[in-house]
């Protein structure tokens, strides 16, 4: 069970790296962080990235609409996927690894063959920005959501079921499959979160996951616990609600320091919930219903957070205006020790762990940096 770590008890090592290729750290079971390789893409900004399930490929989307598949072993580009005409908001590999789905501000969702990079399908039924996309665990359905709709697509027929839709200014929908694919949750910025069954496509119930509007301008942070029994959502007030799916009831409410819940994620072992705000990172124990980490940062911008596959590390990045530098932090969820790496030239916009926990990847502008964890 993780211990409680408040601001005073967190041990932090500040390490500056510019041309350094390897640094010594002591967090969890990691002793060294070594740069494997860096890639300078053609894009000015990497807008999203995701590992394939087996970890052999890293997919990145750009602000210009291009998608690249990179080998995680060599850093070489395996394929360049072109077709979108605006920023890529989200990418998702199918569980079998054969397909990649992309969601874009150009109002389309596209599906690609990961072997040869060919475009297999274009879904044009969204009327506005598409922000999220995901495959069902059995690879038979694709769920897309954005500013005007949440749509479920049957594959390979492309038969669609509109789960939520508006014609006026967007309430910004977010759709998520449960880990076993049996249900879908669809949340909106200013209405209840709906629960749908995928077998019958019937509305099963609603979560009162809104409080005069929900956090963020684009979507409602909402996430399933890996076992599928719990779902958490973030509110505009900074509150985080944790709901039991069966029976449907609210179990816990946590209160974040920041009003806006920017990111929300469960650890892979399901014991801890992490939340980030503009300049806060907090960890919550599901069993004890208490804060394990309640940290106010000097840096005013925190981007995404991510757990290592074994749940021992929480990684997050961002930018510190006072220091005029980007940063990467690795936090040991058991000991409370953390390492923060500064002197990164620009906003660290994305952080991701390799599925096997052997690498961590960061992006700065159009640069992609692969680090080996030893």
């Amino acid at each position: 069970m993780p211990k409680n770590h408040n601001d005073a008890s967190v041990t932090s090592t500040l390490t500056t790296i510019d041309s350094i290729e390897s640094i010594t750290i002591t967090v969890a079971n990691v002793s060294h962080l070594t740069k494997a390789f860096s890639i300078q893409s053609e894009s000015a900004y990497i807008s999203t990235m995701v590992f394939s399930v087996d970890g052999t490929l890293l997919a990145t989307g750009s602000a210009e609409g291009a998608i690249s598949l990179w080998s995680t072993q060599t850093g070489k580009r395996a394929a360049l996927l072109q077709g979108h005409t605006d920023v890529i908001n989200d990418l998702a590999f199918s569980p079998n690894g054969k397909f990649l789905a992309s969601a874009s501000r150009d109002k389309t969702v596209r599906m690609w063959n990961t072997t040869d990079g060919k475009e297999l399908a274009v879904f044009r039924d969204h009327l506005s920005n598409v922000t999220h996309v995901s495959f069902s665990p059995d690879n038979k359905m694709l769920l897309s959501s954005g500013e005007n709709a949440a749509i479920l697509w049957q594959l390979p027929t492309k038969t669609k079921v509109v789960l939520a839709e508006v014609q006026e200014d967007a309430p910004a929908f977010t759709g998520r499959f449960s880990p076993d694919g049996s249900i879908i949750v669809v949340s909106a910025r200013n209405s209840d979160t709906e629960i749908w069954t995928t077998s019958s496509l019937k509305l099963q119930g609603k979560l009162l996951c809104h409080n005069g509007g929900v956090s963020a301008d684009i979507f409602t942070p909402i996430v399933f616990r890996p076992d599928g029994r719990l779902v958490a959502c973030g509110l505009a007030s900074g509150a985080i609600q944790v709901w039991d799916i069966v029976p449907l009831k609210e179990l816990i409410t946590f209160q974040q320091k920041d009003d806006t819940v920017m990111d929300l994620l469960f650890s892979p072992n399901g014991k801890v919930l992490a939340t980030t705000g503009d300049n806060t990172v907090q960890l919550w124990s599901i069993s004890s219903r208490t804060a394990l980490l309640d940290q106010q940062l000097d840096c005013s911008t925190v981007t995404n957070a991510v757990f290592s596959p074994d749940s021992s590390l929480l990684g997050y990045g961002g930018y510190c205006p006072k220091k005029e530098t980007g940063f990467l932090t690795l936090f040991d969820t058991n000991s409370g020790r953390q390492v923060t790496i500064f002197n990164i030239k620009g906003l660290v916009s994305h952080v991701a762990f390799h599925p096997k926990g052997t690498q961590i990847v960061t992006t700065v502008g159009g640069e992609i940096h692969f680090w080996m964890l030893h």
Side-chain angles (χ1 to χ4, degrees), residues 2-5 254 265 267 271-276 280-286 289-295 305 307 311-314 316 331-334 336:
K3 300 176 182 178
N4 185 287
H5 308 292
F254 299 119
L265 64 157
S267 59
K271 295 180 179 180
V272 176
L273 178 69
T275 64
T276 65
T280 61
V281 177
Q282 295 175 272
L283 293 179
W284 311 90
S285 168
I286 299 302
R289 305 188 178 191
T290 57
L292 302 173
L293 174 68
D294 189 355
Q295 194 170 15
F307 281 101
S311 303
S312 65
L313 288 174
L314 178 73
Y316 56 92
F331 176 81
D332 188 325
T333 59
N334 291 306

Side-chain angles (χ1 to χ4, degrees), residues 168-184:
E168 65 273 11
D169 289 342
F173 296 105
T174 304
R176 303 290 189 198
F177 282 107
S178 62
D180 66 359
S182 63
I183 63 175
I184 296 170

